[in-house]
């Protein structure tokens, strides 16, 4: 049997012009590989046209039936007059039959004076193919050919594996979703309410962050409680990533930079024992989940801003200090630098020892594992991490102290043989001028004290026996050397 799809055309003999239009359509379909069954082609004098039509509708080898709809066809169908009316009595039950949902389609030939389609009443609520407009004819004809061949333009992609987080502990809701949607919509729509919506979203996170505080369960290992807790925050982290991406892409004036800065500032009180914590004793690791999330959110924000080359937003996060009210209690400076977002996560180091996983960077590995499904790579975060580390190291070397920012993600840069992307691009003087603000330098030579301090290798970050070369990752010898 012919493997080409077989399609029967039902139409009215409205006038010679319309009949020729139907024949032309049949020819076009034939040129597109469709075996068209049409009375003009398949009936001869003495043949029974109604019997032919009934046979075509009921033939299991005829998979598709086209109903060519003009005014005459619609009128005769609705009034059950003439041959078309008889056809309607045979076709309409089939159209209503669930088994034949994909066998019949109305092909619109013309509309009335008000632009409404001429369709049989029994077909009025169904999707049709519109060949009544010459401007869209080619597009709609393609739809028709695809329909006949069961090859729609839009097809469902392969369905992937069930996300692992669905089988994890139920997430702890911070009630952020409606605020997130308003903020995203307002930012992308450049609405006057965008600033207020963003502030509201950040405020609800900071206020409800308390819900993430872990109450120790003596029947569980502490590090297992930690993992369960931070696993529940992946949806929140993903929301924030979208917010950071939207700000980077749509906030061309940089006005939301201060709001991002204040958001991170609002998380700082959670990194230590709160003044109102009514407990007789507490452990330093009680706050490790908050420290981990603050660090993760910060490097994700940097990575998003760097990816969009929003170095102005990065500079704000790296160069402006943050208010830490708690320091006032201990007589310390209440204004602290961004290194407050990078503290030791002792719970993960304990977990590394307890489970004997021998990870060089337990924090970095957990951050990497949480990237599944985000489209973000550990190397993008490593680049953001390196920017933060280098900025902190600039301050540390200048004050003859040790760097406060430990680069957890640089463990993934150990095998790199050249500079990170933004430093490779910064070989251009123009590009260097764009990124230099992140490091509070004016020229490439301003990095010299740090490079000299690292010359002995004592300051370089180490993972087991391997140290990281900041000169290599910077491409220091080529910075700002090309016009």
């Amino acid at each position: 049997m012919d493997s080409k799809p077989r399609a029967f055309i039902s139409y009215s003999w409205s006038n010679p012009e319309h009949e020729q239009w139907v024949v032309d359509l049949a020819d076009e379909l034939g040129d597109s590989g469709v075996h068209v069954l049409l009375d003009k082609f398949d009936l001869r004098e003495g043949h029974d046209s109604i019997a032919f039509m009934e046979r075509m509708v009921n033939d299991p080898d005829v998979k598709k039936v086209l109903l060519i709809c003009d005014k005459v066809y619609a009128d005769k169908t609705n009034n059950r007059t003439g041959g078309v009316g008889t056809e309607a009595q045979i076709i309409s039950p089939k159209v209503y039959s669930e088994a034949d949902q994909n066998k019949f389609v109305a092909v619109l030939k013309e509309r009335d004076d008000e632009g409404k389609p001429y369709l049989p009443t029994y077909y009025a609520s169904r999707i049709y193919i519109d060949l009544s407009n010459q401007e869209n004819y080619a597009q709609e004809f393609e739809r028709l050919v695809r329909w006949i061949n069961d090859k729609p333009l839009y097809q469902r992609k392969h369905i992937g594996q069930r996300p692992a987080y669905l089988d994890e502990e139920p997430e702890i809701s911070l009630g952020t979703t409606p605020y997130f949607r308003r903020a995203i919509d307002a930012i992308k729509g450049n609405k006057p309410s965008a600033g207020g919506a963003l502030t509201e979203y950040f405020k609800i996170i900071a206020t409800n962050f308390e819900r993430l505080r872990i109450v120790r369960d003596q029947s569980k290992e502490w590090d297992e409680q930690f993992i369960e807790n931070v696993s529940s925050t992946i949806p929140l982290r993903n929301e924030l990533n979208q917010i950071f991406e939207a700000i980077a892409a749509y906030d061309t004036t940089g006005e939301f930079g201060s709001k991002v800065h204040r958001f991170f500032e609002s998380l700082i009180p959670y990194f230590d024992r709160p003044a109102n914590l009514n407990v007789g004793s507490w452990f330093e690791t009680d706050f490790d989940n908050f420290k981990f999330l603050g660090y993760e959110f910060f490097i994700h924000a940097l990575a998003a801003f760097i990816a969009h080359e929003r170095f102005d937003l990065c500079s704000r996060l790296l160069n402006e200090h943050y208010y830490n009210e708690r320091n006032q209690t201990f007589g310390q400076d209440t204004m602290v630098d961004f290194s407050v977002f990078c503290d030791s996560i002792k719970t993960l180091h304990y977990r590394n020892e307890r489970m004997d996983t021998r990870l060089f960077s337990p924090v970095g590995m957990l951050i990497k594992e949480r990237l599944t499904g985000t489209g973000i790579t550990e190397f993008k975060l490593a680049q953001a991490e390196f920017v933060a580390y280098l900025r902190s190291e600039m301050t540390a070397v200048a004050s003859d102290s040790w760097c406060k920012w430990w680069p957890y993600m640089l463990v993934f840069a150990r095998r790199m043989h050249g500079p990170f992307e933004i430093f490779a691009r910064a070989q251009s003087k123009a590009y260097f001028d764009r990124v230099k603000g992140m490091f509070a330098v004016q020229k490439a030579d301003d990095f010299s004290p740090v490079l000299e301090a690292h010359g002995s290798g004592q300051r370089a970050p180490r993972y087991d026996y391997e140290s990281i070369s900041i000169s290599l990752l910077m491409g220091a010898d080529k910075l700002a050397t090309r016009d």
Side-chain angles (χ1 to χ4, degrees), residues 455-472:
S456 64
Q458 293 181 358
R459 294 186 69 96
R462 286 181 175 273
Y463 301 94
D464 196 26
Y465 297 106
E466 295 184 72
S467 61
I468 299 294
S469 169
I470 69 165
S471 176
L472 174 69

Side-chain angles (χ1 to χ4, degrees), residues 110-349:
E110 63 180 0
R111 297 173 179 269
D112 65 18
D113 293 339
E114 296 179 356
K116 296 179 181 179
Y118 285 118
L119 293 171
T121 301
Y122 68 78
Y123 196 91
S125 64
R126 297 171 183 268
I127 295 173
Y128 58 84
I129 292 174
D130 188 359
L131 296 183
S132 66
N133 187 338
Q134 193 60 36
E135 291 182 3
N136 299 327
Y137 187 92
Q139 179 180 339
E140 290 293 291
F141 180 78
E142 179 184 339
R143 281 185 62 208
L144 178 59
V145 173
R146 286 181 172 277
W147 176 80
I148 292 171
N149 288 275
D150 292 320
K151 295 290 184 181
L153 180 60
Y154 300 104
Q155 301 184 49
R156 181 179 288 108
K157 292 183 178 180
H158 172 72
I159 299 175
Q161 295 295 319
R162 173 186 172 91
Y165 59 74
L166 294 178
D167 299 315
E168 295 170 351
E169 290 293 316
E171 66 184 62
I172 303 171
S173 174
L174 299 192
T176 60
T177 301
Y179 300 91
F180 161 74
R181 289 173 179 164
R182 280 200 293 271
I184 280 288
D185 179 66
I187 294 170
K188 291 185 175 181
N190 196 27
K191 297 179 180 178
S193 61
L198 182 60
T199 297
E200 190 177 36
Y201 172 67
F202 284 152
K203 183 177 180 180
I204 200 70
I205 295 177
T207 300
N208 292 346
F209 220 45
E210 179 64 32
R211 298 180 186 178
L212 294 172
R213 194 172 298 282
I214 305 174
V215 177
R216 286 184 180 258
D217 182 347
Q218 297 303 320
S219 68
K220 292 183 178 181
E221 287 283 354
W222 167 248
D223 59 298
E224 293 294 345
Q225 284 189 263
F226 171 94
I227 293 296
E228 290 176 6
N229 180 273
V230 298
S231 293
S232 72
T233 65
I234 288 178
L236 172 64
R237 195 279 318 277
N238 291 344
E239 280 184 4
L240 281 168
N241 280 350
Q242 291 183 62
I243 288 288
F244 298 145
E245 289 281 344
I247 290 172
Y250 294 93
D251 174 30
T252 57
T253 65
E255 63 177 300
F256 295 154
S258 62
K259 297 182 184 298
V260 176
H261 180 275
R262 287 299 179 93
F263 163 67
F264 281 110
E265 191 175 72
S266 71
L267 302 183
I268 295 174
Y270 292 97
F271 300 164
D272 208 334
R273 179 180 181 272
N276 62 350
L277 186 62
N278 296 317
V279 293
S281 63
W282 50 276
F283 299 92
E284 184 180 4
T285 52
D286 286 352
F287 322 110
D288 276 0
N289 62 322
F290 294 123
K291 293 177 182 177
F292 174 84
L293 293 173
Y295 165 77
E296 182 182 44
F297 296 165
F298 193 87
I299 60 170
H300 270 274
L302 275 182
F305 297 158
I306 290 171
H308 287 268
E309 299 189 331
R310 292 302 305 274
F311 306 123
D312 56 323
L313 297 174
C314 294
S315 295
R316 178 158 252 161
L317 291 181
L318 296 172
N319 294 324
E320 291 190 14
H321 279 48
Y322 300 80
Y323 180 66
N324 185 359
E325 184 179 18
R326 182 179 174 80
N327 279 2
Q328 196 171 42
T329 306
F330 301 99
Q332 299 174 348
D333 193 345
T334 56
M335 299 305 294
V336 297
D337 68 20
F338 69 92
S339 63
V340 70
F341 299 105
C342 185
D343 202 348
S344 175
I345 315 295
K346 294 182 179 179
T347 295
L348 288 176
H349 296 292

Side-chain angles (χ1 to χ4, degrees), residues 37 64 79 100 124 153 175-176 203 207 212 261 318 332 339 353 380 383 387 399 441 451-452 482:
L37 298 162
K64 304 294 179 179
N79 297 325
D100 292 285
L153 180 60
T176 60
K203 183 177 180 180
T207 300
L212 294 172
H261 180 275
L318 296 172
Q332 299 174 348
S339 63
E353 293 177 2
K380 291 296 184 183
Q383 177 175 249
V387 167
S399 60
V441 300
L451 294 170
E452 291 171 4
R482 291 191 293 103

